[in-house]
Amino acid sequence: MLNDFRLRVTPSLKRATSLPLALTFAAALGGCASTAVTTEPQPEDPWEGFNRKVFAFNDVLDRYALRPVAQGYHTITPDPVEDSVGNFFSNLGEVRTVLNSLLQGKGENASRATSRLLINTTAGVGGLFDVATRMDIQQQEEDFGQTLAAWGWTDSRYLVLPLLGPSTLRDTTGLPANMAAYPLTYVDDDATRIPLRVLQLIDGRAGFLDQEDLIQGDRYRFLRDAYLQSRAFKINDGELGDDPFASDNFEFDDADFSDENAAD
């Protein structure tokens, strides 16, 4: 049942979810029990023609540039090092989660994210090690797109951005605030900031190389539906809705099991 569904977020998936490229379907795999690829036009994607052209551009860029680099990085980098790199960038994102949790009135999650930031920055050696998760202080990311949804902008049109990949009008509106809330933005030294950004991009792309085989059918629609379901899952804080089969409050009487009903 959906309510019983749980997915263990591996370090590779954790890295992938921080990368907003055209192939970032891995985020959805961490938030949805299943993803149905539909063939009918979707009302949330009225600009599908434009979006497909941008998607094709991003896909070519990924196929001939980013993906080969990510494969090389994944091949030569030991898994513990890859995990530490992903942990470092994820730890920086806790600042954004704290701010957005406060804006949404989620004091408990703001406290949890603050604890994660302090623990991983200190005991985790600058965020290289996710000590907080080992202490069962789980991560629940929040961004400004989710904050806008919490403030009432629940439905938004799907939009594919050049280089950045899948988004919505709501999430795109939140991008400047997301950048402003990310500590790496304030590193003045280009010789430090640019290599870190490149490393973040490559490491994030490498994080879902193993998940690409899960794409089925129309790549554009698969990734679109996966992204939209992932965002809905995060906005609703993981709520999948009521599962009638998960309830124990069924009431039956003898008539339900009569031969007459069985014949029906």
Side-chain angles (χ1 to χ4, degrees):
M1 302 304 171
L2 288 180
N3 286 348
D4 296 327
F5 176 78
R6 296 291 184 275
L7 177 66
R8 178 177 177 270
V9 179
T10 63
S12 62
L13 277 176
K14 188 176 180 181
R15 295 200 307 275
T17 59
S18 66
L19 182 66
L21 289 177
L23 294 178
T24 51
F25 68 97
L29 300 177
C32 305
S34 64
T35 299
V37 181
T38 61
T39 57
E40 297 297 325
Q42 298 297 302
E44 64 269 23
D45 188 12
W47 306 316
E48 182 171 344
F50 168 81
N51 286 334
R52 281 186 177 273
K53 292 177 181 178
V54 178
F55 174 83
F57 168 78
N58 289 343
D59 196 38
V60 170
L61 182 64
D62 177 79
R63 185 175 304 175
Y64 294 104
L66 185 56
R67 188 174 187 274
V69 174
Q71 286 176 318
Y73 168 82
H74 181 66
T75 300
I76 67 175
T77 306
D79 288 343
V81 175
E82 274 196 76
D83 293 344
S84 291
V85 171
N87 289 336
F88 173 77
F89 292 116
S90 179
N91 187 55
L92 294 180
E94 296 290 358
V95 176
R96 179 187 300 154
T97 293
V98 171
L99 293 175
N100 282 281
S101 295
L102 292 174
L103 290 172
Q104 295 176 44
K106 299 178 180 178
E108 182 179 351
N109 195 57
S111 176
R112 186 186 306 117
T114 300
S115 298
R116 287 183 54 85
L117 178 63
L118 293 176
I119 292 171
N120 286 341
T121 301
T122 54
V125 193
L128 295 177
F129 302 97
D130 190 357
V131 179
T133 296
R134 298 176 186 175
M135 297 172 62
D136 201 27
I137 305 176
Q138 301 300 322
Q139 183 182 50
Q140 181 177 315
E141 296 179 348
E142 299 286 348
D143 57 44
F144 282 94
Q146 290 167 259
T147 295
L148 290 174
W151 288 354
W153 193 350
T154 54
D155 297 323
S156 185
R157 296 180 177 184
Y158 183 66
L159 179 65
V160 181
L161 302 176
L163 303 180
L164 298 180
S167 186
T168 62
L169 280 178
R170 179 195 59 236
D171 294 341
T172 301
T173 302
L175 281 177
N178 283 334
M179 294 177 62
Y182 196 68
L184 195 57
T185 303
Y186 300 98
V187 177
D188 293 330
D189 185 11
D190 289 344
T192 301
R193 185 182 67 257
I194 294 175
L196 283 175
R197 284 294 192 184
V198 172
L199 177 60
Q200 182 183 24
L201 181 70
I202 295 172
D203 182 76
R205 180 61 180 89
F208 60 90
L209 287 171
D210 294 337
Q211 283 76 44
E212 289 183 318
D213 291 340
L214 297 173
I215 298 179
Q216 301 176 4
D218 185 332
R219 287 171 54 85
Y220 169 83
R221 291 193 173 184
F222 183 99
L223 297 176
R224 178 198 64 195
D225 294 349
Y227 176 82
L228 291 176
Q229 289 189 33
S230 171
R231 292 301 290 172
F233 185 88
K234 290 182 177 181
I235 288 169
N236 294 321
D237 294 332
E239 293 293 332
L240 293 172
D242 295 332
D243 183 356
F245 297 100
S247 174
D248 295 329
N249 298 322
F250 292 106
E251 296 183 2
F252 301 101
D253 55 36
D254 293 340
D256 292 318
F257 300 96
S258 67
D259 293 339
E260 181 180 351
N261 285 338
D264 293 339

